[in-house]
Amino acid sequence: MLMKRLAAAAAIAVLGVGVAACGGTDPATPGPSTASFKAGSTMEKLNKAQKITIGTKFDQPGFGLKGLDGKPAGFDVEIGKLIAKELGIPADKIEWVETKSAVREEVIEKGTVDLVVATYTINDARKQRIAFAGPYYVAGQHIMVRSDDSSITGPDSFKEGTKKVCSVQGSTPATNIKKYLKDEATQLVLFGGYAECVDALKNKTVDAVTTDNVILLGFVASSNGAYKLAGNKFTDEPYGIGVKKDDTDFRNFINDLLEKIAKDGSYAKAWNDTAGKFDKNTPTAPAVNRY
Amino acid sequence: MNVLWEQFPVFRDGFLLTFQLSFLSAIGALLVGTLVAVLRISPVPPLRWLGTSYVNLFRNIPLTAVFVFVVVGLPLLGSSADFLKIPGLDQIFTRLGIDLPYFRFSIIALSLYTAAFVCEALRSGINAVPSGQAEAARSIGLTFTQNLRFIVLPQAWRAAIVPLGSVIIAMIKNSAIAGFMGLYGDLSSRGQELVSAGVNGVTYPLIPVFIAISLGFLIMTVPLGLLLDRIEKNRMVKAR
């Protein structure tokens, strides 16, 4: 494992040197400089370097999932590619870094990555440390049921008191669903992880699993049609793109791009090529929030 | 420490469920444990092997694994432990009778696991009964069952009561795992919820919440410990 990592790091280093060398000795093939960037800005720096490092999830089907080819794929990844393209950087010059939930602020602050697109919910606590462009997608709590079950159409289906629902112990979705339950003791099941919940759904001990739609999409995706999402999501979790806190120019640049791709159809295409395979409802791009 | 007063109903409900779970599991563990102990000292070799295998298995695997086998395994076998829906008892312990099986599963997992330790505590008690007692009983014509029932076990119980108490106290604390294995609403998981998800958007810091949880467990375990001390003292008087 360590050797592999070292080898990968070495390969990346060689690649980096190679790119730099190419840029130095062969001025005939510069990066596509369709746009001119403000001097000294992050955009100009990245465009000149012809290289960008993007943090994303490697384990989130539909959004960022590392495939057998070693490259992540998903909606977040497509958004990352669109940003790189706007910077004049081809997709194969993007270095993808896995950013698990707990490390996202840290890697942005340290500058390990240039930006993070990783199912990253915008909230005030995080805004203390980093800045968000976007939102580019609004996730939310959803309900997953067995495909042959049409009796649950939304959270209100739990109100009459017979349907049972599973979620993860101590999670916000578990608390959110409580107000739709008639009797928590007979309707609510809590496990340490979602895998147990899906198992309980499979063997019909529970009728539904609830949490963020993005997590549920992953289970729908890998279930070969055994599960589906019921009704609409009933909470809002806006996903943003994380950049350094004081880099307002870069944030504006990304926001401009998000508004552009919402109009020119590349947003919808990015969705349909990735997460849209499991969720046919193509979302409308949410309004960008320039705070 | 405001959290204990502000969220008192949460802790109270959690405490009551943990108490019910512990109480029923303790009964289950004592029943199964006694049975296994009898198997282990049985004169019939296959029964003895069965008892020994049971103890070696359940004493040596993690409680979490036992929970997974019960909670995930029993539904696979098509069981939701309906035999625990005991009429009458399910009026007092309402969770016993409901459709969701996780309260019953938790009792089974805790009982099976703790039974291995109960068995060993009992066996140490049985070993403490002088062998002359059993021999005398045999010589006056008592059967193996009568011997155990009237001569050995009553004395063994007394010798085993203190180690048994420790086993039950450990079991009460182990019951916290149930909250992560399908059961909703035990003391630890209700507390955890206040920390991570909060109530109406207000979350509470870890330390005070866990102090409150600990208090709940102390309410169950300290009196149990005191009771055991008392029993032990009485026994010493009797021995003199």
Side-chain angles (χ1 to χ4, degrees):
Chain A
M1 203 51 210
L2 181 67
M3 280 312 289
K4 261 193 192 162
R5 275 197 198 154
L6 283 178
I12 288 162
V14 168
L15 208 68
V17 170
V19 169
C22 280
T25 54
D26 192 5
T29 55
S33 53
T34 45
S36 58
F37 300 107
K38 196 168 138 189
S41 68
T42 310
M43 292 81 81
E44 191 204 41
K45 197 187 80 194
L46 292 170
N47 175 267
K48 276 207 176 128
Q50 279 297 296
K51 187 168 174 284
I52 185 169
T53 308
I54 302 179
T56 192
K57 294 269 180 81
F58 277 13
D59 56 0
Q60 186 58 64
F63 281 73
L65 180 67
K66 195 173 174 177
L68 291 174
D69 59 355
K71 286 185 177 158
F75 186 58
D76 281 348
V77 172
E78 291 306 312
I79 295 287
K81 284 180 186 165
L82 287 168
I83 294 170
K85 190 175 154 202
E86 188 74 2
L87 286 165
I89 303 170
D92 59 345
K93 292 288 192 303
I94 304 171
E95 189 189 336
W96 298 102
V97 173
E98 180 175 24
T99 45
K100 290 188 183 291
S101 298
V103 303
R104 290 177 297 197
E105 287 88 2
E106 199 187 326
V107 292
I108 293 170
E109 283 176 334
K110 277 189 182 165
T112 321
V113 299
D114 297 306
L115 54 93
V116 164
V117 202
T119 61
Y120 204 0
T121 304
I122 300 174
N123 68 32
D124 289 340
R126 288 170 179 162
K127 279 182 189 169
Q128 301 288 321
R129 296 177 64 183
I130 58 129
F132 283 106
Y136 62 96
Y137 178 71
V138 182
Q141 189 170 349
H142 215 139
I143 293 165
M144 181 171 83
V145 297
R146 290 180 295 273
S147 294
D148 55 6
D149 185 351
S150 54
S151 62
I152 294 173
T153 52
D156 288 332
S157 301
F158 297 110
K159 281 186 174 156
E160 56 66 69
T162 57
K163 297 291 178 191
K164 305 178 199 76
V165 62
C166 186
S167 195
V168 161
Q169 207 279 315
S171 69
T172 308
T175 305
N176 286 341
I177 197 69
K178 277 192 202 167
K179 56 177 167 285
Y180 297 98
L181 301 178
K182 194 175 174 193
D183 180 6
E184 291 163 11
T186 57
Q187 288 183 276
L188 186 58
V189 173
L190 298 179
F191 278 108
Y194 292 107
E196 292 95 326
C197 273
V198 176
D199 193 80
L201 180 65
K202 188 172 142 197
N203 66 37
K204 303 192 177 178
T205 319
V206 298
D207 305 295
V209 177
T210 187
T211 183
D212 289 355
N213 61 342
V214 171
I215 294 172
L216 293 177
L217 271 183
F219 288 112
V220 171
S222 59
S223 76
N224 283 324
Y227 312 122
K228 65 177 184 189
L229 297 184
N232 294 312
K233 58 182 161 64
F234 52 97
T235 64
D236 284 342
E237 298 268 351
Y239 283 176
I241 294 159
V243 297
K244 278 214 167 117
K245 195 180 176 200
D246 48 9
D247 202 345
T248 312
D249 284 342
F250 194 31
R251 182 147 61 93
N252 285 333
F253 167 82
I254 296 173
N255 280 332
D256 290 343
L257 170 72
L258 290 175
E259 282 172 350
K260 192 176 107 184
I261 61 171
K263 288 197 193 92
D264 71 8
S266 38
Y267 179 88
K269 182 178 182 304
W271 177 266
N272 291 332
D273 287 349
T274 56
K277 286 174 190 159
F278 320 119
D279 184 357
K280 298 291 175 214
N281 305 317
T282 308
T284 37
V288 163
N289 175 19
R290 295 170 192 266
Y291 62 90
Chain B
M1 270 323 293
N2 286 337
V3 59
L4 183 54
W5 315 122
E6 282 170 25
Q7 298 298 336
F8 183 72
V10 170
F11 288 107
R12 180 199 58 209
D13 293 350
F15 171 83
L16 288 176
L17 187 68
T18 294
F19 180 77
Q20 293 186 15
L21 175 62
S22 304
F23 182 78
L24 293 171
S25 303
I27 294 175
L30 289 174
L31 287 176
V32 179
T34 309
L35 184 73
V36 178
V38 170
L39 288 179
R40 279 207 77 173
I41 56 161
S42 153
V44 187
L47 294 182
R48 223 161 41 225
W49 298 331
L50 190 69
T52 310
S53 314
Y54 182 96
V55 171
N56 280 331
L57 181 68
F58 281 95
R59 197 171 54 165
N60 294 319
I61 59 175
L63 176 58
T64 319
V66 178
F67 259 96
V68 169
F69 294 139
V70 171
V71 168
V72 181
L74 283 185
L76 280 181
L77 299 172
S79 166
S80 52
D82 288 337
F83 67 91
L84 280 177
K85 290 184 180 174
I86 303 160
L89 209 56
D90 61 5
Q91 298 301 309
I92 309 165
F93 303 98
T94 46
R95 290 277 186 118
L96 264 186
I98 65 171
D99 207 19
L100 278 177
Y102 296 105
F103 186 67
R104 300 190 290 275
F105 285 168
S106 301
I107 293 173
I108 293 176
L110 276 173
S111 299
L112 290 181
Y113 178 80
T114 313
F117 297 89
V118 167
C119 163
E120 289 306 274
L122 268 182
R123 217 166 54 90
S124 75
I126 290 167
N127 288 338
V129 178
S131 55
Q133 296 276 327
E135 281 162 19
R138 238 187 351 260
S139 71
I140 58 168
L142 296 191
T143 64
F144 176 72
T145 322
Q146 286 171 326
N147 195 341
L148 274 182
R149 194 172 151 202
F150 299 112
I151 308 297
V152 179
L153 278 184
Q155 299 185 69
W157 269 109
R158 272 199 224 145
I161 196 98
V162 171
L164 271 181
S166 306
V167 167
I168 299 302
I169 286 174
M171 192 211 70
I172 293 173
K173 296 186 287 176
N174 283 341
S175 73
I177 291 185
F180 293 83
M181 287 290 172
L183 183 68
Y184 168 73
D186 80 302
L187 180 58
S188 320
S189 63
R190 287 306 296 271
Q192 187 97 52
E193 209 174 85
L194 292 176
V195 175
S196 55
V199 176
N200 302 325
V202 184
T203 55
Y204 293 88
L206 269 166
I207 298 278
V209 167
F210 272 77
I211 291 176
I213 292 174
S214 304
L215 282 176
F217 277 96
L218 287 174
I219 292 173
M220 286 179 268
T221 50
V222 168
L224 184 59
L226 290 177
L227 181 73
L228 290 169
D229 282 353
R230 234 198 141 95
I231 293 173
E232 202 187 5
K233 269 198 194 116
N234 281 345
R235 209 181 62 200
M236 278 158 64
V237 172
K238 240 176 218 164
R240 244 188 295 161

Coordinates of all heavy atoms in Angstrom, one line a residue, chain B residues 111-139:
Chain B
S111 N -28.7 -11.5 26.5 CA -28.9 -12.7 27.4 C -27.9 -13.8 27.0 O -27.2 -14.4 27.8 CB -30.3 -13.3 27.3 OG -31.2 -12.3 27.7
L112 N -27.8 -14.1 25.7 CA -26.9 -15.1 25.2 C -25.5 -14.8 25.6 O -24.8 -15.7 26.0 CB -27.1 -15.3 23.7 CG -28.4 -15.9 23.1 CD1 -28.3 -16.0 21.6 CD2 -28.6 -17.2 23.8
Y113 N -25.1 -13.6 25.3 CA -23.7 -13.2 25.6 C -23.4 -13.3 27.1 O -22.5 -13.9 27.5 CB -23.5 -11.8 25.1 CG -22.1 -11.2 25.4 CD1 -21.1 -11.6 24.5 CD2 -21.9 -10.3 26.4 CE1 -19.8 -11.0 24.8 CE2 -20.6 -9.8 26.6 CZ -19.6 -10.2 25.8 OH -18.3 -9.6 26.0
T114 N -24.3 -12.7 27.9 CA -24.1 -12.6 29.4 C -24.2 -14.0 30.0 O -23.5 -14.3 31.0 CB -25.1 -11.7 30.0 OG1 -25.1 -10.5 29.2 CG2 -24.7 -11.3 31.4
A115 N -25.0 -14.9 29.4 CA -25.2 -16.2 29.9 C -23.9 -17.0 30.1 O -23.7 -17.7 31.0 CB -26.2 -17.0 29.0
A116 N -22.9 -16.8 29.1 CA -21.6 -17.4 29.2 C -20.9 -17.1 30.5 O -20.3 -17.9 31.1 CB -20.8 -17.1 28.0
F117 N -21.0 -15.8 30.8 CA -20.3 -15.3 32.1 C -21.1 -15.8 33.3 O -20.5 -16.1 34.3 CB -20.2 -13.8 32.0 CG -19.3 -13.3 30.9 CD1 -19.9 -13.0 29.7 CD2 -18.0 -13.1 31.0 CE1 -19.1 -12.6 28.6 CE2 -17.2 -12.7 30.0 CZ -17.7 -12.4 28.8
V118 N -22.4 -15.7 33.2 CA -23.2 -16.2 34.3 C -22.9 -17.7 34.6 O -22.7 -18.1 35.8 CB -24.7 -16.1 34.0 CG1 -25.6 -16.9 35.0 CG2 -25.2 -14.6 34.0
C119 N -22.7 -18.5 33.5 CA -22.4 -19.9 33.7 C -21.1 -20.1 34.4 O -21.0 -20.9 35.4 CB -22.3 -20.5 32.3 SG -21.5 -22.1 32.3
E120 N -20.1 -19.3 34.0 CA -18.8 -19.4 34.7 C -18.8 -19.0 36.1 O -18.2 -19.6 37.0 CB -17.7 -18.7 33.9 CG -17.4 -19.3 32.6 CD -17.0 -20.7 32.7 OE1 -15.8 -21.1 32.9 OE2 -17.9 -21.6 32.5
A121 N -19.6 -17.9 36.4 CA -19.7 -17.5 37.8 C -20.4 -18.5 38.7 O -20.0 -18.8 39.8 CB -20.5 -16.2 37.9
L122 N -21.5 -19.2 38.1 CA -22.2 -20.2 38.8 C -21.3 -21.4 39.0 O -21.3 -22.0 40.1 CB -23.4 -20.6 38.0 CG -24.7 -19.9 38.3 CD1 -25.8 -20.5 37.4 CD2 -25.1 -20.0 39.7
R123 N -20.5 -21.7 38.0 CA -19.7 -22.9 38.1 C -18.6 -22.7 39.2 O -18.3 -23.7 39.9 CB -19.0 -23.2 36.8 CG -18.9 -24.7 36.4 CD -18.5 -24.8 35.0 NE -17.3 -24.1 34.6 CZ -16.1 -24.6 34.7 NH1 -15.9 -25.8 35.1 NH2 -15.1 -23.8 34.4
S124 N -18.1 -21.5 39.3 CA -17.1 -21.2 40.4 C -17.8 -21.4 41.7 O -17.2 -21.9 42.7 CB -16.5 -19.8 40.2 OG -17.5 -18.9 40.6
G125 N -19.1 -21.1 41.8 CA -19.9 -21.3 43.0 C -20.1 -22.7 43.3 O -19.9 -23.2 44.4
I126 N -20.4 -23.5 42.2 CA -20.6 -24.9 42.4 C -19.3 -25.6 42.8 O -19.3 -26.5 43.7 CB -21.1 -25.6 41.0 CG1 -22.5 -25.1 40.7 CG2 -21.0 -27.1 41.1 CD1 -23.0 -25.4 39.3
N127 N -18.2 -25.1 42.3 CA -16.9 -25.7 42.7 C -16.6 -25.4 44.2 O -15.8 -26.1 44.8 CB -15.8 -25.2 41.8 CG -15.8 -25.8 40.4 OD1 -16.4 -26.8 40.3 ND2 -15.2 -25.1 39.5
A128 N -17.2 -24.3 44.7 CA -16.9 -23.9 46.1 C -17.7 -24.8 47.0 O -17.4 -24.8 48.2 CB -17.3 -22.4 46.2
V129 N -18.7 -25.5 46.5 CA -19.5 -26.4 47.4 C -18.6 -27.6 47.6 O -18.2 -28.3 46.7 CB -20.8 -26.8 46.8 CG1 -21.6 -27.8 47.7 CG2 -21.7 -25.6 46.5
P130 N -18.3 -28.0 48.9 CA -17.4 -29.1 49.1 C -18.0 -30.4 48.5 O -19.2 -30.6 48.5 CB -17.5 -29.3 50.7 CG -17.9 -27.9 51.2 CD -18.8 -27.3 50.1
S131 N -17.1 -31.2 47.9 CA -17.6 -32.3 47.1 C -18.3 -33.3 48.0 O -19.1 -34.1 47.5 CB -16.4 -32.9 46.3 OG -15.4 -33.3 47.3
G132 N -18.0 -33.3 49.3 CA -18.6 -34.2 50.2 C -20.2 -34.0 50.2 O -20.9 -35.0 50.4
Q133 N -20.6 -32.8 50.0 CA -22.1 -32.5 49.9 C -22.7 -33.3 48.8 O -23.8 -33.9 49.1 CB -22.3 -31.0 49.7 CG -21.7 -30.1 50.7 CD -22.7 -29.9 51.9 OE1 -24.0 -29.9 51.6 NE2 -22.3 -29.8 53.1
A134 N -22.2 -33.2 47.6 CA -22.8 -33.9 46.5 C -22.7 -35.4 46.7 O -23.6 -36.2 46.4 CB -22.1 -33.5 45.2
E135 N -21.5 -35.9 47.3 CA -21.3 -37.3 47.5 C -22.4 -37.8 48.5 O -23.0 -38.9 48.4 CB -19.9 -37.6 48.0 CG -18.9 -37.6 46.8 CD -17.5 -37.4 47.3 OE1 -17.2 -37.6 48.5 OE2 -16.6 -37.0 46.5
A136 N -22.5 -37.0 49.6 CA -23.5 -37.4 50.6 C -24.9 -37.5 50.0 O -25.6 -38.4 50.3 CB -23.5 -36.4 51.7
A137 N -25.2 -36.5 49.2 CA -26.6 -36.5 48.5 C -26.7 -37.7 47.7 O -27.8 -38.4 47.7 CB -26.7 -35.2 47.7
R138 N -25.7 -38.1 46.9 CA -25.8 -39.3 46.1 C -25.9 -40.5 46.9 O -26.7 -41.4 46.6 CB -24.5 -39.4 45.2 CG -24.8 -39.4 43.7 CD -23.7 -39.7 42.8 NE -22.4 -39.7 43.2 CZ -21.5 -38.7 43.1 NH1 -22.0 -37.5 42.5 NH2 -20.3 -38.7 43.5
S139 N -25.2 -40.5 48.1 CA -25.2 -41.7 48.9 C -26.6 -42.0 49.5 O -27.0 -43.1 49.8 CB -24.1 -41.7 50.0 OG -24.5 -40.7 50.9

